[in-house]
Each structure stands twice: as structure tokens, then as C-alpha cells.
Amino acid sequence: MLKRSVTVLAPAKLNLSLDVVGTLPNGYHDLDMVMQTIDLYEKITLRRSNGLSLTLPGSFVPVNDKNTAIKAAVAFFRYTGLLAGVDMTIYKRVPVRAGMAGGSADAAGVLVGLNELYDAHLSMSELCAIGAGIGADVPFALLGGTCRVRGVGDLMKALPPCPACWFVVAMPSVGVSTPEAFARYDTMGSPVHPDCEAQEQAIRAEDLAAVCAAAGNALEHCSGAEETPSICAILRENGALTAQMTGSGAAVFGVFDDETAARAALAALRPSYRQCYLCRPTHGGPRVTVRRPMFEKNS
């Protein structure tokens, strides 16, 4: 039995908290974060091929060697030594330059899908090791769920599931460049430093109010995203327990303990923001959803 294609759903992420706690010896920022995957997915279809191609229907994301999906495929074949290829089609739904790790989700989904397509039997540890060479958020994108993440994204601790809630996410009209956001942080600093340890303990206690009380994003102050305050205000006016930017921006989200309030917030945002989503927390990373086996005769 030979698999000819697989389809993978790869979830986006939100930062329930993000703090910059120092600088590492290599010059990168030392981060402390609580990260959460959500049920907003990139859909990735992989087909066996003798070559390597990527199609992004309806997306303006460049298709070149810098694309994380192509990097992931190249890294997978290099690691496994397989003399094979893949045709990749990614239906992007996660906003770009949003701080939601859409590119990392693509890379993670490709690694998981290729592992299935070619029956490579790589462990999660091996996939994460490959992913770390592609991007800082890729190991978390592979693991998914709720995690305390430190360093540059390389130190992960899986946490119990986030307390049940709804997320309302809105993408402003302009995205944020991650390098530029960190450069501004180096110049401006931040008045916000969330208590990630308190948030971890609140998650373990299944206390959503305490999770929200400990939330925050040290990069929000210096992201340069001008629409963040107004989006946060709309979310809070409609019952959000907390509202903040995710990652280095520019997407903003609110946390709700009531679905009706969450839907009201979504309705309030939609006239002004084209990309708005109602989401729930998820408990894992990319998953294969379609398997199409084909029996082939031996020649």
C-alpha cells in the first residue's frame, strides 16, 4: 500500500503571554512565553513527486527558497536521505505578519505530512530538531496545545490544556515586521512584563480569570501597530476578560468565557476589520486528515 497524497491541518497560535527577559550570548532576545494553538488552520496537501513545488492559491506570500514550507521539505529529505520529492499546495487562512505563526504552521504541517506520506517514522523529537533549523516557532507549531516556551523558542514545557474559553482575533490593516518590532523594543523598552509563572500556575489550576490577569505582551508597546488600542477597546467593551497583541504583532485577540459575548465582539469588529475569527483552544499540533492509499503492482 502506497500513499500518494496526504492532507494536513496545521493550527495557528496565540501568545497568552510574552515577556523579554534578557539577551542570550548569541545576541538573540531571551523570551518567556505561554503559547496556545487555536482552531484556525492552514490546509496543506502533499503529493508524491519527483520534483519539489509549492502552490499557494489566492495568497500573495512569495514562493521561493525562503518560504518555510520549501525549507521544511528540503530539510526533511536531507535528514531522511530519501531520494524523493513533493508537490505542496497550501490554502492559507492564517493572517500574514500577524504574530500567529502561519509560516511556522506551514513548516510543521509539511514535516508531519511528509513523515506520514513517506512512512519515515520520525519521532516528535526528530521532527522538532529539524524544525528548529527552519524557524524559532516551528518546534512549538509541531507540538501544539498549551506550552511554556523560553529562550528563542527552543525550550518548551507542555502544560495542561488551557481552561475552556473563546478567542476573538482581529488582524489590523497593516502587518508588523518581527525584526523591526524587536529593534524598537531594544530602543524603547516596555512598561509591560507579564507574569508567565503566575499564568502557568493559573492554567494548572484551571482558573481562566487568573490566566487573563497574568496576561500581557512586552512587545505590544513598541510594535508600531497603530490599531491595537482601538481593537483592544472594542474587545473589552464586549466582555473580553483581557485583550492584547499576539507575538510581535499585528493580530490582536480577546479572551472570553461566554460564547454569546465573543460573537458580539466578533460582530462589532467585522465592519472595520476584514480578517476576524472566533476560535477555541486546541490540544495538539498538525494532524493528517485525509489518507488516500493506492495499491500498486510490483514491476
Side-chain angles (χ1 to χ4, degrees):
M1 181 168 26
L2 178 68
K3 302 181 189 74
R4 300 300 303 178
S5 69
V6 297
T7 297
V8 181
L9 294 180
K13 65 88 175 168
L14 298 174
N15 287 88
L16 301 182
S17 57
L18 186 159
D19 196 13
V20 182
V21 296
T23 304
L24 297 168
N26 59 9
Y28 286 98
H29 295 85
D30 188 8
L31 304 178
D32 191 0
M33 305 175 284
V34 176
M35 297 169 73
Q36 174 66 55
T37 47
I38 59 175
D39 61 352
L40 177 63
Y41 298 101
E42 305 276 68
K43 182 181 176 182
I44 303 164
T45 298
L46 307 176
R47 294 180 176 84
R48 285 180 181 248
S49 171
N50 293 324
L52 180 64
S53 71
L54 172 63
T55 304
L56 303 170
S59 174
F60 296 104
V61 173
V63 176
N64 54 39
D65 291 346
K66 294 182 179 179
N67 189 283
T68 55
I70 293 177
K71 287 183 176 181
V74 170
F76 174 85
F77 290 124
R78 182 180 294 125
Y79 181 87
T80 59
L82 288 168
L83 299 178
V86 63
D87 293 331
M88 302 177 284
T89 303
I90 300 179
Y91 301 91
K92 293 194 65 64
R93 194 180 176 205
V94 179
V96 177
R97 292 165 64 97
M100 298 179 71
S104 296
D106 293 341
V110 167
L111 290 175
V112 168
L114 287 175
N115 198 36
E116 174 79 14
L117 184 64
Y118 283 103
D119 291 317
H121 303 293
L122 300 185
S123 67
M124 178 58 72
S125 294
E126 288 177 293
L127 292 175
C128 286
I130 298 171
I134 301 167
D137 283 342
V138 178
F140 169 75
L142 283 159
L143 188 62
T146 312
C147 285
R148 181 88 173 266
V149 182
R150 304 188 197 191
V152 294
D154 54 331
L155 305 174
M156 296 187 296
K157 176 169 62 173
L159 301 180
C162 174
C165 62
W166 289 262
F167 300 114
V168 175
V169 185
M171 178 63 189
S173 56
V174 179
V176 170
S177 160
T178 297
E180 291 177 7
F182 277 104
R184 282 191 291 268
Y185 177 88
D186 290 338
T187 300
M188 302 170 60
S190 175
V192 176
H193 290 282
D195 191 337
C196 298
E197 178 63 28
Q199 191 170 63
E200 175 182 334
Q201 296 309 314
I203 289 169
R204 294 186 183 280
E206 301 181 11
D207 185 341
L208 182 63
V211 170
C212 294
N217 186 333
L219 296 179
E220 184 173 316
H221 172 71
C222 55
S223 72
E226 297 180 356
E227 295 161 283
T228 300
S230 60
I231 297 174
C232 287
I234 292 171
L235 290 165
R236 290 192 174 99
E237 287 166 5
N238 284 275
L241 301 178
T242 191
Q244 65 187 47
M245 189 182 78
T246 180
S248 57
V252 178
F253 71 97
V255 184
F256 294 80
D257 60 2
D258 178 78
E259 182 179 3
T260 300
R263 291 190 179 278
L266 186 71
L269 287 165
R270 275 186 167 154
S272 301
Y273 301 98
R274 182 174 59 87
Q275 293 175 287
C276 295
Y277 311 91
L278 177 64
C279 305
R280 303 295 304 272
T282 66
H283 302 323
R287 67 177 191 271
V288 176
T289 61
V290 177
R291 304 182 185 185
R292 295 174 182 170
M294 178 181 291
F295 294 94
E296 294 191 348
K297 296 180 180 179
N298 294 325
S299 56

